[in-house]
Amino acid sequence: MKTHQCPICFGPLEAIPVAPCWDCGHDSEELEHLAQGRHTYAEFTAFGALPIVLCDFCDADFGSYYAAYFGMAGERLVGNDVLGFSRSIDPQSVPHSDKYCPACGHRLAFLNFRAAAIRLNQTAQDACR
């Protein structure tokens, strides 16, 4: 883990324990849920190209992000049709530490995913012009 600054806001990162979900895995409550076995985890392909690991809650809620958050045009919601199931994840097989951006409120895995989605979706928009 050599990254020392956030790929979104370029602020400093701090190392923290995480649950497997890239979206909510930084939250201390999610770490409790992991210990209690309350969630299942899976890897998905988002936007037709990008891998992301989500818990069953974040998978169901992913479509509520605004499209612009991931570099897509318009003010609509992303919708759940952007996720394609790839495989189930055994939560014990995933490293349980990552870096976290206090300014953005997400762990590095999600921030890298978001930065890649912005680049991917911006490139797709540029190609349509």
Side-chain angles (χ1 to χ4, degrees):
M1 256 189 271
K2 293 183 180 181
T3 304
H4 298 289
Q5 49 178 195
C6 175
I8 301 297
C9 75
F10 306 106
L13 300 172
E14 54 190 55
I16 61 165
V18 295
C21 182
W22 292 6
D23 195 353
C24 73
H26 64 279
D27 188 278
S28 60
E29 186 175 347
E30 185 58 23
L31 289 170
E32 292 173 22
H33 291 178
L34 175 66
Q36 297 165 356
R38 290 178 61 179
H39 294 288
T40 59
Y41 302 91
E43 181 179 296
F44 297 87
T45 300
F47 309 111
L50 303 174
I52 184 170
V53 174
L54 298 170
C55 68
D56 50 348
F57 180 84
C58 289
D59 162 25
D61 192 51
F62 190 80
S64 68
Y65 275 107
Y66 283 100
Y69 189 71
F70 295 112
M72 301 169 77
E75 295 184 22
R76 61 183 166 70
L77 297 178
V78 169
N80 285 333
D81 59 335
V82 301
L83 292 177
F85 177 82
S86 296
R87 64 187 175 99
S88 295
I89 299 289
D90 175 5
Q92 301 309 315
S93 68
V94 178
H96 295 294
S97 63
D98 199 358
K99 292 192 178 175
Y100 172 78
C101 177
C104 291
H106 280 286
R107 63 184 278 192
L108 183 58
F110 184 85
L111 296 166
N112 283 333
F113 166 80
R114 182 176 173 217
I118 291 168
R119 285 190 304 273
L120 175 74
N121 290 322
Q122 188 61 53
T123 300
Q125 287 178 27
D126 290 345
C128 292
R129 291 182 191 170

